[in-house]
Amino acid sequence: MNRYFIYLILLNMLTNIIIFVPKILMTYRFEGAVLGILIAIPIGLALCFVFNKAMSKFPEQGLPEILNHFNNRKIKIAILVCFSCIWFSAGLLSLLGFVDIVKRFINPEISEILLAVLFLGAICFVAQLPSQKVMYLIEIILFINVPLTFFIVFKAFTSKYFSWDSVFEVGTHIFMRPSFTSIAAATYAYSGYLNLLIINRLFKNKIKGKNYFIILFLVIFNLFTTFFIPIGFHGADSVQEYLYPWISTADCLRIVYGPIERALYIFLMLYTSITLLSTSLHWHVAFEFLKGVSREEPSQKKKWIIFAIFICLSIVAEWKINALQLIKISSYWLNGRFIFEAFVAALLLFLARRQKT
């Protein structure tokens, strides 16, 4: 099941491209974003390694089962509810961002609430499935989407409209001191591994060392393509003007002999499934955390009450939050998530040490 570890991180990386991270990194392109990416690469890998090292002490167990080893039920409930809220918010931000993209680039006349309701039906259906089936679905979607994503990246790098001068111009700011926000945003490429807090139930063996090399290569490729391709197309100065730089970049690409000439439509179709699946995974983990609060398996009625709450909160958020507020909230959320990841790694190390003693 080591491949599931790569799938979790790869899914998170692909979701990164379209919504929050590019816009935040572009904001700091002359103020340390390049060095921030370089610093984030070893930090994210180190957190990932420490987390997995601690989780390997608990084979075939998720966080609810791990916390059962320690006889403090109140702390267990507080941790699981808190973690569930964080995972729910992660999925919600991706969903709100994608609804805004669909409305802007596919159908400006449609109601955002209606779009959200349509997506929520599919997301909740997948999120309530057993973890094994969710991972099977992720495997199928990635198998179809990843080659097409690499093809679009290849088309971007080989396009005659791609300006290497703009890339080099931003690259000359490599020694500018990075902000905390740019480092936090860049480390998000790794964050898919945190879903092992539930998916670890499917893991019987330790994660092998070669998987970290694969992840390192993928993260480096992901971060630099995410950051530099929009700069190469829109220019070092103008790229900041775009709310979703990668969507505008995909709209610049043409597949002359393809069945669909505008790469934008292929890109949006790919990312519809990627984003919905990423949100489903986050909510699946959030749901499993809440299930872990109870000593008994919740009834079907209680399960759907939880998802009804998820849906209601999502509709209210969709109604109240506009695109600019969403970018600002996402920036704060990514900063908090970076600190949270360090906390989770420390918590797992503490629990692994206590179990050993």
Side-chain angles (χ1 to χ4, degrees):
M1 296 300 173
N2 271 220
R3 69 184 191 280
Y4 287 170
F5 167 64
I6 296 175
Y7 293 163
L8 292 173
I9 295 181
L10 189 55
L11 182 66
N12 212 63
M13 281 182 205
L14 293 175
T15 311
N16 275 350
I17 291 177
I18 196 169
I19 300 179
F20 313 125
V21 175
K23 177 66 178 175
I24 294 169
L25 290 177
M26 301 305 164
T27 304
Y28 295 96
R29 64 198 181 286
F30 297 133
E31 299 168 14
V34 179
L35 186 56
I37 291 172
L38 293 174
I39 292 173
I41 289 168
I43 291 177
L45 189 65
L47 286 174
C48 179
F49 179 78
V50 170
F51 173 89
N52 286 328
K53 191 77 176 172
M55 283 300 284
S56 67
K57 305 293 182 186
F58 307 99
E60 297 184 81
Q61 296 178 63
L63 184 64
E65 294 78 33
I66 294 170
L67 293 175
N68 282 338
H69 294 296
F70 309 96
N71 298 319
N72 195 322
R73 184 163 168 73
K74 288 182 181 177
I75 292 179
K76 175 188 173 182
I77 291 173
I79 290 174
L80 291 178
V81 172
C82 177
F83 278 35
S84 179
C85 292
I86 292 169
W87 259 259
F88 169 73
S89 63
L92 178 62
L93 290 175
S94 297
L95 175 66
L96 296 182
F98 195 70
V99 167
D100 188 54
I101 288 169
V102 171
K103 182 175 172 60
R104 285 173 188 273
F105 294 93
I106 296 181
N107 190 347
E109 304 299 325
I110 195 169
S111 159
E112 291 176 341
I113 301 293
L114 177 59
L115 266 177
V117 170
L118 291 174
F119 289 150
L120 283 165
I123 289 167
C124 290
F125 173 75
V126 174
Q128 56 82 37
L129 293 172
S131 299
Q132 185 76 64
K133 289 187 178 179
V134 174
M135 291 308 301
Y136 285 156
L137 191 56
I138 290 173
E139 188 169 33
I140 293 168
I141 295 296
L142 289 179
F143 183 77
I144 297 170
N145 286 4
V146 168
L148 288 171
T149 304
F150 275 106
F151 175 70
I152 289 174
V153 171
F154 171 76
K155 289 290 293 181
F157 272 123
T158 56
S159 170
K160 63 181 179 181
Y161 300 110
F162 186 86
S163 168
W164 285 100
D165 290 341
S166 298
V167 172
F168 292 142
E169 182 183 349
V170 173
T172 58
H173 293 77
I174 188 171
F175 296 113
M176 294 293 290
R177 188 172 66 179
S179 66
F180 179 81
T181 301
S182 61
I183 296 173
T187 56
Y188 188 60
Y190 286 100
S191 293
Y193 73 84
L194 285 174
N195 293 305
L196 284 174
L197 287 172
I198 289 297
I199 306 301
N200 192 57
R201 292 168 174 168
L202 307 177
F203 281 66
K204 297 179 181 177
N205 304 315
K206 293 181 181 179
I207 293 169
K208 296 176 181 174
K210 67 178 181 181
N211 291 287
Y212 294 104
F213 287 103
I214 296 172
I215 291 302
L216 179 62
F217 169 76
L218 289 175
V219 165
I220 293 171
F221 180 76
N222 173 264
L223 284 175
F224 282 97
T225 53
T226 297
F227 182 63
F228 282 118
I229 285 181
I231 290 172
F233 270 92
H234 303 299
D237 294 318
S238 303
V239 72
Q240 175 61 21
E241 303 300 322
Y242 296 93
L243 191 58
Y244 298 105
W246 255 95
I247 302 291
S248 303
T249 302
D251 202 21
C252 299
L253 296 172
R254 296 287 183 275
I255 303 173
V256 179
Y257 299 110
I260 301 173
E261 185 181 356
R262 292 182 68 179
L264 174 65
Y265 295 124
I266 298 174
F267 192 74
L268 286 175
M269 281 191 287
L270 291 177
Y271 274 89
T272 299
S273 56
I274 291 285
T275 308
L276 295 185
L277 201 55
S278 174
T279 304
S280 300
L281 176 64
H282 283 121
W283 285 14
H284 171 75
V285 174
F287 176 57
E288 291 295 327
F289 284 148
L290 289 180
K291 280 173 66 178
V293 169
S294 173
R295 289 191 175 94
E296 300 173 354
E297 183 71 16
S299 63
Q300 284 296 324
K301 184 179 177 182
K302 287 183 180 176
K303 288 180 183 177
W304 287 111
I305 287 174
I306 292 171
F307 282 111
I309 294 171
F310 284 5
I311 290 171
C312 290
L313 290 174
S314 303
I315 291 173
V316 171
E318 183 60 64
W319 180 37
K320 291 288 185 182
I321 300 174
N322 62 39
L324 294 178
Q325 290 170 330
L326 184 61
I327 294 289
K328 189 176 288 186
I329 292 170
S330 302
S331 178
Y332 293 140
W333 186 90
L334 285 169
N335 288 348
R337 185 265 334 155
F338 185 36
I339 298 168
F340 173 75
E341 276 193 36
F343 166 74
V344 172
L347 174 68
L348 265 293
L349 273 180
F350 170 74
L351 295 175
R353 186 178 175 82
R354 280 201 60 181
Q355 190 202 38
K356 188 177 179 181
T357 56

